[in-house]
Amino acid sequence: GAVVSQHPSWVICKSGTSVKIECRSLDFQATTMFWYRQFPKQSLMLMATSNEGSKATYEQGVEKDKFLINHASLTLSTLTVTSAHPEDSSFYICSTPGQGYNEQFFGPGTRLTVL
Amino acid sequence: AQKVTQAQTEISVVEKEDVTLDCVYETRDTTYYLFWYKQPPSGELVFLIRRNSFDEQNEISGRYSWNFQKSTSSFNFTITASQVVDSAVYFCALSENNQGGKLIFGQGTELSVKP
């Protein structure tokens, strides 16, 4: 299966700053990348779907101007949390579907803490 | 609408006991995929199994077994002779064929295996 990496694995930032999370597909051309968010003790919720070379599709309730997604190449998708606030503290995980969409390759996740 | 329900929020067992994690799903699609993932404290999702909607055969992998019953829309997971290393949060997830691979996760079941 595909190998997906995320960077950074954890980040602590001050309220009001922006944080960029990178998701790389190391051995697979990821035309689609999903971004999930997981609050403590909760499930994973899909935030948005990014497709290489086009605008991301956001799930209901997710602010597209706050969570900027860029998928400029087949191996890299980025999520930027702009003007982060403590309520944005969460575990962010990316994944890309395999061919046929019946399998998923997850990144190891990024734990964001906003002070 | 698609939905995954894991009614058991937390389960605690003593080592060597058998334990079953329940998963009930809802979908209008006739072609779909069901998954189980393990999430240890590190956060990284560990893939356990994928089942498509046309394959109702039960599966056994070592101490793990899965029971898929379309008649009751359930995909239950049993760990036989549980071990302390099985302690984690387990997620059941659904992917519909026409949704491009995105996953709908259940709420998760936190399993604690005590020595």
Side-chain angles (χ1 to χ4, degrees):
Chain A
V3 178
V4 178
S5 70
Q6 277 185 246
H7 178 80
S9 55
W10 60 270
V11 56
I12 301 173
C13 69
K14 291 183 179 180
S15 187
T17 60
S18 294
V19 175
K20 180 186 282 189
I21 301 170
E22 293 185 349
C23 178
R24 291 184 185 275
S25 175
L26 301 182
D27 57 354
F28 182 77
Q29 292 192 324
T31 54
T32 299
M33 198 71 80
F34 298 112
W35 286 94
Y36 296 87
R37 177 170 56 184
Q38 184 182 29
F39 292 111
K41 298 285 189 180
Q42 293 189 28
S43 186
L44 287 81
M45 298 296 292
L46 181 67
M47 296 176 66
T49 303
S50 72
N51 292 295
E52 187 264 337
S54 63
K55 288 185 178 180
T57 304
Y58 291 82
E59 297 299 302
Q60 194 172 10
V62 178
E63 300 173 57
K64 61 180 181 181
D65 295 329
K66 180 171 182 62
F67 298 98
L68 302 179
I69 292 175
N70 184 283
H71 193 158
S73 78
L74 289 171
T75 59
L76 175 64
S77 176
T78 61
L79 167 67
T80 300
V81 184
T82 61
S83 187
H85 289 284
E87 57 265 31
D88 298 322
S89 297
S90 187
F91 192 56
Y92 293 86
I93 308 175
C94 64
S95 77
T96 185
Q99 291 185 353
Y101 301 118
N102 61 353
E103 56 187 340
Q104 289 283 334
F105 304 108
F106 282 89
T110 297
R111 199 167 298 279
L112 170 65
T113 301
V114 184
L115 301 176
Chain B
Q2 61 272 43
K3 186 179 179 182
V4 177
T5 302
Q6 294 178 255
Q8 305 147 309
T9 306
E10 297 179 8
I11 299 177
S12 182
V13 299
V14 176
E15 209 170 17
K16 297 185 183 176
E17 283 185 21
D18 298 347
V19 58
T20 295
L21 282 60
D22 298 333
C23 173
V24 175
Y25 63 93
E26 294 177 32
T27 178
R28 291 180 181 172
D29 212 342
T30 55
T31 303
Y32 52 91
Y33 302 89
L34 296 165
F35 300 78
W36 275 95
Y37 288 92
K38 175 182 181 180
Q39 187 178 43
S42 66
E44 187 162 359
L45 289 174
V46 177
F47 168 78
L48 297 178
I49 191 171
R50 175 184 65 247
R51 257 289 178 263
N52 74 57
S53 53
F54 300 108
D55 184 2
E56 282 194 77
Q57 265 196 326
N58 290 334
E59 176 137 348
I60 298 175
S61 176
R63 296 184 297 108
Y64 296 169
S65 62
W66 291 269
N67 182 273
F68 176 26
Q69 294 207 350
K70 286 178 76 170
S71 61
T72 56
S73 297
S74 65
F75 187 42
N76 296 339
F77 171 35
T78 298
I79 301 175
T80 303
S82 60
Q83 300 175 1
V84 173
V85 292
D86 296 327
S87 297
V89 180
Y90 291 85
F91 289 99
C92 180
L94 165 72
S95 173
E96 294 178 326
N97 193 49
N98 63 353
Q99 292 296 310
K102 61 183 177 183
L103 292 176
I104 306 298
F105 284 87
Q107 300 91 322
T109 297
E110 183 171 5
L111 174 64
S112 177
V113 182
K114 302 188 186 310

